[in-house]
Amino acid sequence: MTVATALTAVRPLPGGPVGSVLGGEPGAAESAETYLRSGGYGEAASPGRLLEAVDRSGLRGRGGAGFPAAVKLRSVRDGGGVPVVVANGEEGEPGSVKDRWLLRARPHLVLDGLSRAAEITGAGQGYVYLSDPYAATQVRRALRERPPRIPVEVIETAHTYVAGEETSVVRRINGGPALPAAKPPRPYERGVAGQPTLVANVETLARIALIAAHPDLSDTIARTTLLTLSSWRDAPVLLEAPYGVPLRDLAAGQGSGDAYGALMGGLFGGLVGSGALDLPLDPVELAAAGTSLGCGAVRFLAPGGCPVAVAHDAVDHLAAESARQCGVCVSGTAALRDTLRQLATGAAGPDAAMCLDRWAGGLPGRGACGLLDAAAGTAGSLLRAFPDSVQDHLSAACPVCAGCPTTGGHRLVVPVPDVAGIRPDPAPVH
């Protein structure tokens, strides 16, 4: 069974649905009635006290950067003008499905969180930004079932890796292309229609709604996260796990108990070797170890696969998804991709590793967004985590890599789990 054809399982947080993003009725799209019965849209603390609760909980954004949610909320609230709030559901990472699943299965939880963020910041307009037509249908249904306190508009965009970057979101909502813009200003300073704008990942908003409904569980809610776990060999899994769980235990739960490493954080955390699997699921500890939790997508390296092939797939995808606005990104991702392809196919020259190392150190920070950083970081992490494998590929062709055609990274794609009434993705959508 391959990642492209396997139906992803959905596993809730152990101990029941209270305080869990994967709560509700398993396998069913949540209705307003169901959400109200669970305590959703209820009376909560004042906006100021809710912000304090979010701050005390230590909730971090779930879009990839892991920025403290309370700091972002305050910056928008204190930015002057009439703020705008955006639920960002444009999931660019090929190995992540959590945001699209949330919008399809629990749209009211996301909209409740968007309303809470609007109350905290004083926003007068909200948007739900996405590219998944099934999710758009569910969100519009939810808006009809229970209109929010502020106007909320659904904005659809074409799916690309960079379309979910926060300045891309603002440009698209403002009527332009979904492409990254130069910074500053950041959206919290001047965003949609020139107003301070909160661009928040949909899981972040869902957790704000849960904190509002279950303030006594704030710490648990903030220190729990959605994960998309996959490998080349075993069926992918969407689950909810608390911080502190060893990565090795997560690998075993996904079916890759014999994993010898992982591609972390979607395409942004880089490759790690077997020793890193003893690290706990914790953004701070993972960052200290030189990797990242990112959007919660982890692809385990199982026997029979090859880390060079995975690195090539990742950089191949990023090169194909470049916005082509920055010359250094176009040339840099192409050079990384071509060298990794030569390495994978046994055609690399003796200086390939040296070139990859130079680019890995010199390219980060030179593009308008994080895409070039991710590509360079992946190449550098391959050299650090699997130097012996790189040397083996310089010596002889790899039979595993030889059997992996160039696909623009499609082998990394995970299908969105089934929700009753909404068919699962039949094939990769990236």
Side-chain angles (χ1 to χ4, degrees), residues 2-412:
T2 67
V3 169
T5 60
L7 177 63
T8 311
V10 179
R11 300 181 185 174
L13 180 69
V18 176
S20 170
V21 170
L22 293 184
E25 298 177 1
E30 183 174 59
S31 67
E33 181 181 359
T34 300
Y35 186 59
L36 285 164
R37 283 202 307 267
S38 73
Y41 294 126
E43 292 296 324
S46 67
R49 293 187 63 183
L50 177 56
L51 177 57
E52 290 174 4
V54 171
D55 196 0
R56 286 195 305 270
S57 75
L59 178 66
R60 291 171 173 266
R62 296 298 198 267
F67 194 75
V71 173
K72 205 168 184 181
L73 287 162
R74 282 199 183 93
S75 297
V76 173
R77 181 196 65 182
D78 299 340
V82 181
V84 174
V85 288
V86 181
N88 185 6
E90 172 42 28
E91 197 164 32
E93 294 283 2
S96 179
V97 298
K98 68 182 182 70
D99 296 335
R100 282 166 290 166
W101 185 89
L102 270 174
L103 290 168
R104 293 181 184 191
R106 303 213 64 192
H108 284 287
L109 179 64
V110 175
L111 291 172
D112 192 1
L114 185 66
S115 295
R116 306 291 183 184
E119 292 170 358
I120 290 171
T121 59
Q125 174 69 49
Y127 295 91
V128 180
Y129 177 84
L130 42 71
S131 64
D132 176 14
Y134 304 131
T137 297
Q138 293 299 88
V139 171
R140 290 189 174 103
R141 173 190 60 80
L143 288 169
R144 289 192 301 270
E145 286 183 336
R146 186 175 176 97
R149 297 171 186 170
I150 62 169
V152 173
E153 184 178 348
V154 177
I155 300 292
E156 295 187 65
T157 190
H159 173 82
T160 65
Y161 186 81
V162 300
E165 196 269 345
E166 62 175 6
T167 61
S168 298
V169 174
V170 169
R171 286 184 76 179
R172 174 68 182 87
I173 295 174
N174 279 337
L179 295 172
K183 298 175 281 288
R186 296 273 183 181
Y188 76 86
E189 297 169 310
R190 188 165 70 251
V192 175
Q195 298 299 319
T197 300
L198 176 76
V199 180
N201 173 262
V202 295
E203 185 189 347
T204 310
L205 294 172
R207 295 197 179 279
I208 290 173
L210 289 173
I211 289 173
H214 308 285
D216 54 323
L217 297 175
S218 294
D219 290 349
T220 299
I221 293 165
R223 293 186 58 79
T224 306
T225 194
L226 291 181
L227 301 170
T228 312
L229 308 179
S230 63
S231 73
W232 76 270
R233 185 191 62 194
D234 303 291
V237 174
L238 173 65
L239 57 76
E240 191 164 16
Y243 288 170
V245 176
L247 296 179
R248 197 175 300 278
D249 290 357
L250 293 171
Q254 185 265 332
S256 300
D258 54 355
Y260 60 87
L263 177 64
M264 295 292 300
L267 303 182
F268 209 84
L271 289 159
V272 297
S274 178
L277 297 182
D278 294 319
L279 290 169
L281 181 73
D282 184 281
V284 175
E285 296 203 39
L286 289 172
T291 185
S292 171
L293 178 59
C295 63
V298 180
R299 185 173 182 82
F300 294 109
L301 306 182
C306 178
V308 173
V310 173
H312 169 258
D313 280 351
V315 175
D316 192 23
H317 180 80
L318 291 166
E321 289 290 315
S322 170
R324 310 193 73 78
Q325 294 187 127
C326 308
V328 67
C329 180
V330 175
S331 60
T333 56
L336 289 164
R337 176 202 61 207
D338 293 347
T339 303
L340 286 169
R341 182 177 299 161
Q342 292 164 3
L343 193 64
T345 58
D351 61 345
M354 181 182 67
C355 290
L356 289 173
D357 184 57
R358 184 174 71 250
W359 293 328
L363 289 175
R366 298 180 63 187
C369 67
L371 186 147
L372 181 59
D373 294 12
T378 299
S381 68
L382 173 67
L383 298 175
R384 291 190 301 273
F386 298 102
D388 293 343
S389 183
V390 172
Q391 287 303 313
D392 289 344
H393 282 69
L394 289 171
S395 303
C398 170
V400 174
C401 291
C404 294
T406 297
T407 62
H410 288 321
R411 284 189 299 275
L412 302 178

